[in-house]
Amino acid sequence: MCSRKNPAVVDMEMETETEMEVEEKICRCWRILEFYSGIGGMRYSLLRAGIRGRVVEAFDINNIANDVYEHNFGHRPFQGNIQILTPLDLDKYEAHAWLLSPPCQPYTRQGLQKDSADARALSFIKILENMPHMMQPPLMLFVENVVGFETSNTHKHMMEVLAGIGFVTQEYILSPLQFGVPYSRPRYFCLAKRKPLSFRNPSCNNLILWTPSPFMPSKNNQSTDGSDGNDGNQGEFNSSCEPIINFLETHFLTGNQQEYTTFRFGTEVVSSTADGKYMIDKISTSTSTPKHLADIDNDKIFEDDGGGTNKNAWDMYSVAPSLIERWGNAMDKDIVFPESRRCCCFTKSYYRYVKGTGSLLATSGDINSRLEAPSLIELGLRFFTPREVANLHSFPAEFHFPSHTSLRQRYALLGNSMSVAVVAPLLQYLFICETSGLRSPLCQFGTQFENLVKLQKRY
């Protein structure tokens, strides 16, 4: 359990404790605030990254999202209006890091693009404007949003606020495709540290990068170039990604597709303890099918009309022939097969609409069948299940929806979530602090602890 001592007490203890003891103590005491927590994508990313710390509070205004978060983590996020939080309120949390995924609607290409004039942008702007007036502003900041945020007025305001209180920043636009996941979902990320903390690669400060190479050198040739692989890089992305079948629920596959199945093993399983700390374990290499792919999801699925009638799973997810006949030409580019290595981004409107909201899976034949089939109806098109969408977002097997959430609500919540495969290594990079004589690969305060205490006293 992380104790909440004021800086003066910590400063006195440093006179009697060794540097190793101080480092071990601070490594156990990362205090984290999670804003716009949704269904827990950011928290699962912390788990996967192996960050040692606690989420001391999460915030989200969506009641259903909070139900899902509480169902999985045993803690219900604060559901009030965060615009009423004052600098004093925020200081009371004594948080070292803030993780934020503010509403993206003001900045989406398909939206009205009202930017900072959109009412949904006001809470994030208010949080930013509180920071200069805090006694102990956070040491680190992580912001996720849609591509387009980086050109917004809100982004400009954010960068001005951060620079004014001593933050250095690195910005990235990355997609799961760059991390071996066959899912096209490019997103903007801002990593910020308050001096004297610094990044491992300071040459990337104040830049927007389209590659994960600063923190994942092995990926140095995989850059989106602003196109997410839609040009000459697409083949390179596809060759490095797993096939979609590795993310499917096997009970929804036909016989010939099950024969194709070749699953990846040695994956990480992450879990959280009751007090909010994180644990990470490995599954040893096995010849059995991973649990989240072999078992039928035991979450109950209800129709969105509230009638509570269970339907046959195939009928539930099949695309009606009438929709195929109406939208066939528009749907063509969204069709993928189990052996495909790229699928489109799932939006919150997936399952409500068949056009432009995410990929549809062909359950009959293979990629060559698409060229031979005279009609799309023969491909047996279906929607990806919520569990499969969660898999493509790299959520762990332990993630489940509470039974009262409807099918449409599940899709909408997943469409507003984030890729754990992308966010986890970014957080791991953010929480590394470059100093001399470091020992811990994930939490490297050590010799900077005294400067940290002085910095917090200064405000």
Side-chain angles (χ1 to χ4, degrees):
M1 192 75 177
C2 181
S3 60
R4 301 182 63 179
K5 298 181 180 180
N6 62 52
V9 174
V10 176
D11 209 13
M12 287 187 294
E13 290 181 348
M14 289 184 62
E15 297 177 0
T16 58
E17 294 179 333
T18 66
E19 182 180 335
M20 175 69 79
E21 290 171 335
V22 171
E23 182 176 347
E24 289 177 352
K25 178 176 294 185
I26 194 67
C27 282
R28 292 195 300 267
C29 290
W30 283 121
R31 297 177 60 82
I32 300 165
L33 288 184
E34 185 183 3
F35 294 91
Y36 314 99
S37 51
I39 59 175
M42 194 77 78
R43 187 156 178 175
Y44 278 126
S45 299
L46 283 168
L47 290 168
R48 182 161 172 169
I51 305 301
R52 297 177 179 180
R54 300 183 60 219
V55 175
V56 294
E57 189 56 276
F59 304 85
D60 202 288
I61 201 169
N62 187 310
N63 186 55
I64 302 301
N66 289 341
D67 287 347
V68 179
Y69 190 101
E70 183 178 17
H71 182 74
N72 287 280
F73 298 106
H75 171 77
R76 189 170 188 83
F78 175 84
Q79 198 168 320
N81 184 355
I82 58 177
Q83 290 179 236
I84 68 173
L85 295 175
T86 66
L88 180 60
D89 293 329
L90 296 170
D91 271 324
K92 291 178 180 178
Y93 291 108
E94 299 179 4
H96 303 112
W98 290 4
L99 313 180
L100 308 98
S101 182
C104 64
Q105 293 89 343
Y107 319 105
T108 55
R109 296 169 181 172
Q110 291 79 17
L112 299 176
Q113 296 183 324
K114 297 175 67 174
D115 202 333
S116 56
D118 193 309
R120 290 166 291 191
L122 298 181
S123 62
F124 179 58
I125 294 173
K126 179 63 183 297
I127 291 172
L128 291 173
E129 293 177 346
N130 277 333
M131 292 176 65
H133 304 287
M134 294 177 62
M135 295 295 293
Q136 296 184 36
L139 300 168
M140 293 176 288
L141 209 71
F142 181 91
V143 179
E144 181 266 356
N145 215 285
V146 293
V147 177
F149 176 84
E150 74 281 5
T151 61
S152 68
N153 292 330
T154 304
H155 172 268
K156 180 181 178 182
H157 184 45
M158 176 183 76
M159 301 304 285
E160 290 172 349
V161 170
L162 295 179
I165 53 178
F167 276 86
V168 292
T169 62
Q170 292 187 10
E171 300 172 275
Y172 297 86
I173 293 178
L174 302 171
S175 171
L177 291 170
Q178 296 166 278
F179 297 81
V181 180
Y183 184 36
S184 175
R185 191 181 178 91
R187 287 296 183 267
Y188 164 87
F189 304 95
C190 176
L191 285 64
K193 293 187 177 187
R194 190 155 57 93
K195 299 173 183 177
L197 302 186
S198 61
F199 287 99
R200 169 176 288 177
N201 294 300
S203 60
C204 299
N205 290 355
N206 305 316
L207 298 176
I208 298 180
L209 304 176
W210 297 78
T211 172
S213 60
F215 56 93
M216 296 183 69
S218 63
K219 305 287 185 181
N220 58 1
N221 292 322
Q222 296 193 27
S223 169
T224 64
D225 292 336
S227 60
D228 196 20
N230 287 327
D231 55 12
N233 284 328
Q234 182 172 353
E236 183 178 342
F237 280 129
N238 291 353
S239 64
S240 64
C241 288
E242 297 183 59
I244 288 173
I245 197 170
N246 287 18
F247 299 81
L248 302 180
E249 296 186 84
T250 56
H251 58 284
F252 282 123
L253 299 178
T254 59
N256 65 317
Q257 291 171 343
Q258 289 186 23
E259 292 176 1
Y260 177 84
T261 305
T262 54
F263 295 102
R264 179 184 64 183
F265 302 108
T267 56
E268 294 177 343
V269 173
V270 291
S271 58
S272 61
T273 58
D275 62 358
K277 295 182 180 178
Y278 313 118
M279 297 168 53
I280 187 164
D281 298 306
K282 289 281 187 178
I283 298 178
S284 59
T285 302
S286 169
T287 57
S288 61
T289 303
K291 183 178 184 302
H292 76 287
L293 296 171
D295 295 347
I296 295 177
D297 189 3
N298 58 8
D299 292 341
K300 296 179 181 178
I301 297 176
F302 297 97
E303 289 192 83
D304 197 40
D305 60 10
T309 303
N310 284 305
K311 296 179 64 178
N312 178 275
W314 183 264
D315 293 336
M316 178 73 75
Y317 299 112
S318 294
V319 180
S322 59
L323 292 176
I324 296 175
E325 292 173 355
R326 180 179 180 184
W327 300 104
N329 292 334
M331 293 163 48
D332 193 38
K333 64 179 181 179
D334 292 333
I335 297 172
V336 297
F337 291 80
E339 64 266 36
S340 301
R341 295 177 183 268
R342 187 178 191 272
C343 68
C344 301
C345 179
F346 298 101
T347 72
K348 67 178 183 179
S349 297
Y350 190 66
Y351 192 75
R352 294 176 58 199
Y353 304 99
V354 296
K355 176 184 175 183
T357 61
S359 289
L360 302 170
L361 183 69
T363 62
S364 177
D366 54 24
I367 292 178
N368 294 327
S369 303
R370 174 66 194 95
L371 303 176
E372 301 168 359
S375 169
L376 294 181
I377 295 178
E378 295 184 13
L379 297 178
L381 299 179
R382 73 163 173 87
F383 292 95
F384 283 75
T385 70
R387 177 68 253 180
E388 291 166 346
V389 177
N391 291 342
L392 286 163
H393 280 87
S394 302
F395 276 47
E398 293 83 357
F399 170 77
H400 291 286
F401 286 98
S403 60
H404 68 269
T405 54
S406 71
L407 191 57
R408 288 191 179 183
Q409 287 172 336
R410 297 179 187 201
Y411 283 121
L413 292 169
L414 287 165
N416 284 330
S417 192
M418 63 186 64
S419 170
V420 173
V422 178
V423 176
L426 283 167
L427 289 177
Q428 195 171 65
Y429 177 60
L430 174 66
F431 277 81
I432 291 176
C433 304
E434 287 301 298
T435 64
S436 59
L438 299 178
R439 287 172 289 275
S440 171
L442 296 179
C443 178
Q444 303 179 355
F445 262 104
T447 57
Q448 286 191 341
F449 183 67
E450 185 175 358
N451 289 333
L452 165 63
V453 173
K454 292 179 180 179
L455 181 65
Q456 288 186 322
K457 285 180 177 180
R458 188 182 308 162
Y459 286 89

